[in-house]
Amino acid sequence: MKVLIVGGVAGGASAAARLRRLDEHAEIILFERGRYISFANCGLPYYIGGAITQEAALTLQTPASFRSRFHVDVRVENEVTAIDRVNKRVTVRNHTTGEDYEESYDRLILSPGAEPVRPPIPGIENPRVFTLRTIPDTLKIKAYLDEKKPRRAAVIGGGYIGVEMAENLRQAGLEVCIIEMASHVIAPLDEDMAADVHHYLRSQGIQLRLGSGLNAVSDQGDSLRLELTDGAVEADLAVLSVGVRPDTELAKVCGLECSPRGAIRVNSRMQTSDPDIYAVGDAVLIRDFVSGQEGYIPLAGPANKQGRIAADQICGLPSEYKGTQGSSVLKIFGMTVAMTGLNERAAKAAGLDYGKTYNYSASHASYYPGGGMISLKTIYEKPTGRILGAQLFGPDGTEKRCDVMAVAIRAGMTASDLAELELCYAPPYSSAKDPVNFAGYVIENVLTGKVKEFYWHDVDSLPRDGSVTLLDVRTDAEHARGRIEGFRSIPLDSLRDRLDELDPSKPVYVHCHSGLRSYLACRILTGNGFDCWNLAGGYRLYESVVSDRAVQDHPCYER
């Protein structure tokens, strides 16, 4: 059997290695148009920022080491330019010699990956406008920083790579501004969870220009002028990070079925519309594991799994890809952003009957030094309590909780299952009741009617005409530091003694800092005949979102 693989990195290299492990005698040829077959895409920003100091550390396998270990014919700087599906042959351009040649195949695996989007904006080809996708891209940016010593950087786009680049450019000593067309950074986050990220980025010296698109780039001699939809900024260099698109021209030209946005359609066995051609990685259309809908989620983990599955299928093993749930994690200075499954927008778009809860829990026992608070938003299905998605922001240990939620989603677990999980506990690592357990408790309480919740986006529409009671059960000191208009203060520990101050015929909307004390207040009030609603996420979340909306950032480097 002769198998050709187009493209290395995650999907193609994984497929090649798995094929060899399964079939010692197969002829395997891997074509890579660049110089690197297996490198750490996700590590590239950290080489620029200095956390990774050796260029060699970015290369996971060299052509020679891959050839030696797996007996794979690795041909770097060889680009497949055409596929003849009828005769099962490909045309290859050797970029070293300039020659074209052909190779036949029994099976073909396409792993061309994705390419950075470069919108047709005037001036976008300026040499001081960089993209980051490959090792050569990384070396080019690093060389510019070392040689030119720029002072100001603009990052166009606030996705994963954009935020990582902003952090690492800041670590390299530059002033950094993120320019993002959407209302918040990191698109998979919901607005309320992104607000915490915005506040933290600003606290680390990253400026944000949100809701602003790039119209043009012009050279100003020693600097660039970026014309935006809401003004203009100047910077010494710009990094374009507005997303990627599947690099699938080869597949389209040979007639493989693709989505309207160019991703290759595959079945659960990673077969394309041609059963002898497989496709994996950032080039393929996936099915969302939770909603069942088609989507495009370019991540390294799924690419590796898909490469393995394609190899299994070629060798007769019944592996199938069951869908992508979008589990991802992002380091931002000393904090972590992590997410898995559906966000609120996706759950709504899928037509699911969903609920949401917010928890604000200690990363480990509060009496053990060095901890912090983890903000956790959970999306769940009504009335079953099945976990649909989670978004988290916090210090060390945040990614661990997201991994638990990812497993819960994959296993079809419910809120009751989260409440029953027995997770590791020691004071340096967690509390006896883990944040994941708390998420289960809260959802159970809602679904069983022990508490009713209202949300930060409901607060401003609550009547202030006396028809309802608005109650703040934080301490007097907390209330004095910041409050929601119209909410009267009765601290939780005084509530039982002051029930006669409240009208039991009126609904009570209550909040505390995080939602825990107000839940206790609701149980007291409900037990005494009141109709009580608890503010999910508490004052902390409300204030975070409202103050984020109100911030008018400094206009970066406008001159």
Side-chain angles (χ1 to χ4, degrees):
M1 179 172 59
K2 183 176 182 180
V3 182
L4 305 184
I5 302 173
V6 181
V9 194
S14 294
R18 177 68 168 173
L19 276 168
R20 178 56 72 220
R21 291 195 294 269
L22 296 176
D23 188 340
E24 181 63 20
H25 304 291
E27 181 181 0
I28 307 169
I29 305 175
L30 190 155
F31 300 99
E32 171 56 53
R33 65 187 170 195
R35 289 183 290 143
Y36 304 91
I37 61 160
S38 182
F39 61 90
N41 296 70
C42 299
L44 299 181
Y46 301 101
Y47 179 71
I48 293 169
I52 297 173
T53 58
Q54 298 297 319
E55 178 189 337
L58 299 172
T59 305
L60 304 178
Q61 288 277 359
T62 66
S65 67
F66 204 81
R67 186 180 297 112
S68 173
R69 175 162 295 181
F70 297 108
H71 191 52
V72 171
D73 183 356
V74 178
R75 303 181 188 179
V76 294
E77 298 187 287
N78 277 245
E79 180 178 4
V80 175
T81 57
I83 301 171
D84 179 352
R85 293 168 50 200
V86 174
N87 297 301
K88 298 179 75 169
R89 301 183 70 82
V90 301
T91 302
V92 186
R93 166 63 60 90
N94 185 324
H95 287 298
T96 302
T97 66
E99 295 176 338
D100 291 330
Y101 63 95
E102 291 188 344
E103 285 285 354
S104 63
Y105 66 85
D106 296 311
R107 299 289 187 273
L108 177 64
I109 300 176
L110 300 179
S111 180
E115 59 184 353
V117 173
R118 289 190 77 100
I121 293 171
I124 202 69
E125 299 302 326
N126 189 293
R128 283 183 286 180
V129 178
F130 300 91
T131 58
L132 181 64
R133 186 69 179 173
T134 65
I135 289 179
D137 294 338
T138 308
L139 299 180
K140 189 184 298 185
I141 296 172
K142 187 70 165 62
Y144 185 84
L145 296 182
D146 292 342
E147 294 169 12
K148 302 298 184 182
K149 302 293 190 295
R151 184 170 58 87
R152 305 164 299 174
V155 177
I156 315 301
Y160 296 112
I161 296 298
V163 172
E164 286 177 341
M165 276 303 304
E167 174 195 358
N168 281 280
L169 288 168
R170 184 71 179 145
Q171 297 281 38
L174 281 74
E175 299 176 37
V176 182
C177 177
I178 296 175
I179 299 166
E180 169 57 51
M181 183 178 292
S183 62
H184 64 80
V185 301
I186 312 174
L189 290 177
D190 288 321
E191 176 192 3
D192 41 26
M193 293 299 289
D196 279 350
V197 177
H198 294 168
H199 290 303
Y200 183 69
L201 284 169
R202 293 180 181 115
S203 76
Q204 299 301 309
I206 303 292
Q207 298 181 51
L208 302 178
R209 190 86 171 236
L210 304 175
S212 182
L214 178 64
N215 286 338
V217 179
S218 59
D219 202 311
Q220 300 293 303
D222 292 336
S223 65
L224 295 173
R225 181 176 176 82
L226 307 177
E227 302 290 345
L228 308 179
T229 53
D230 61 350
V233 302
E234 289 189 5
D236 303 316
L237 79 153
V239 178
L240 192 63
S241 182
V242 295
V244 297
R245 59 185 167 214
D247 188 2
T248 53
E249 189 62 27
L250 188 65
K252 294 179 201 172
V253 170
C254 79
L256 296 179
E257 186 178 348
C258 296
S259 74
R261 294 189 177 183
I264 303 169
R265 291 188 184 276
V266 293
N267 60 21
S268 62
R269 299 179 295 280
M270 306 315 298
Q271 285 175 304
T272 68
S273 51
D274 183 326
D276 291 325
I277 301 179
Y278 296 75
V280 301
D282 293 357
V284 304
L285 194 68
I286 60 91
R287 188 162 298 280
D288 187 281
F289 177 80
V290 182
S291 70
Q293 297 184 337
E294 289 184 333
Y296 181 67
I297 305 177
L299 292 170
N304 277 279
K305 294 178 181 66
Q306 292 161 4
R308 180 184 177 93
I309 289 167
D312 284 355
Q313 288 291 331
I314 289 171
C315 293
L317 299 180
S319 297
E320 290 191 76
Y321 189 66
K322 296 181 173 64
T324 300
Q325 65 190 70
S327 299
S328 54
V329 63
L330 179 67
K331 172 188 172 296
I332 307 178
F333 298 97
M335 297 289 273
T336 300
V337 182
M339 60 219 78
T340 185
L342 302 182
N343 59 25
E344 190 173 349
R345 301 187 311 277
K348 189 176 298 182
L352 295 171
D353 185 12
Y354 74 92
K356 59 185 176 183
T357 61
Y358 304 87
N359 298 89
Y360 194 60
S361 307
S363 60
H364 62 237
S366 57
Y367 58 82
Y368 188 89
M373 301 299 290
I374 295 176
S375 181
L376 165 59
K377 178 177 182 178
T378 307
I379 309 295
Y380 64 92
E381 182 181 55
K382 297 179 182 177
T384 66
R386 179 170 67 102
I387 306 304
L388 302 176
Q391 301 163 51
L392 302 91
F393 179 67
D396 290 347
T398 296
E399 74 291 342
K400 164 192 166 182
R401 277 58 181 227
C402 191
D403 283 339
V404 175
M405 299 298 275
V407 172
I409 292 169
R410 183 65 58 161
M413 294 170 69
T414 67
S416 295
D417 295 319
L418 294 187
E420 293 172 3
L421 284 178
E422 183 178 334
L423 302 173
C424 294
Y425 162 60
Y429 299 105
S430 184
S431 299
K433 295 177 181 177
D434 191 84
V436 171
N437 296 133
F438 272 114
Y441 299 149
V442 173
I443 297 169
E444 272 192 331
N445 286 338
V446 172
L447 290 177
T448 56
K450 294 182 181 65
V451 68
K452 294 184 288 187
E453 293 189 321
F454 68 111
Y455 302 99
W456 62 266
H457 47 77
D458 300 321
V459 170
D460 291 344
S461 62
L462 291 174
R464 266 69 172 179
D465 59 0
S467 59
V468 300
T469 299
L470 306 180
L471 187 60
D472 178 351
V473 296
R474 297 176 300 157
T475 65
D476 290 334
E478 288 175 292
H479 184 79
R481 286 196 296 268
R483 61 189 180 85
I484 304 175
E485 181 184 354
F487 279 73
R488 62 177 297 187
S489 174
I490 300 181
L492 173 64
D493 293 341
S494 305
L495 183 59
R496 286 187 179 89
D497 296 330
R498 298 176 61 180
L499 289 176
D500 57 354
E501 298 178 24
L502 306 177
D503 185 344
S505 68
K506 298 177 180 179
V508 181
Y509 292 84
V510 59
H511 82 79
C512 67
H513 179 69
S514 67
L516 175 58
R517 283 174 290 170
S518 49
Y519 162 66
L520 299 176
C522 272
R523 294 307 302 156
I524 293 170
L525 290 164
T526 301
N528 284 277
F530 289 82
D531 179 20
C532 189
W533 296 76
N534 183 27
L535 177 59
Y539 176 81
R540 190 208 70 81
L541 178 65
Y542 171 81
E543 192 277 334
S544 177
V545 178
V546 171
S547 62
D548 180 53
R549 286 180 166 184
V551 168
Q552 296 295 323
D553 274 2
H554 183 281
C556 298
Y557 321 122
E558 195 162 9
R559 296 288 186 270

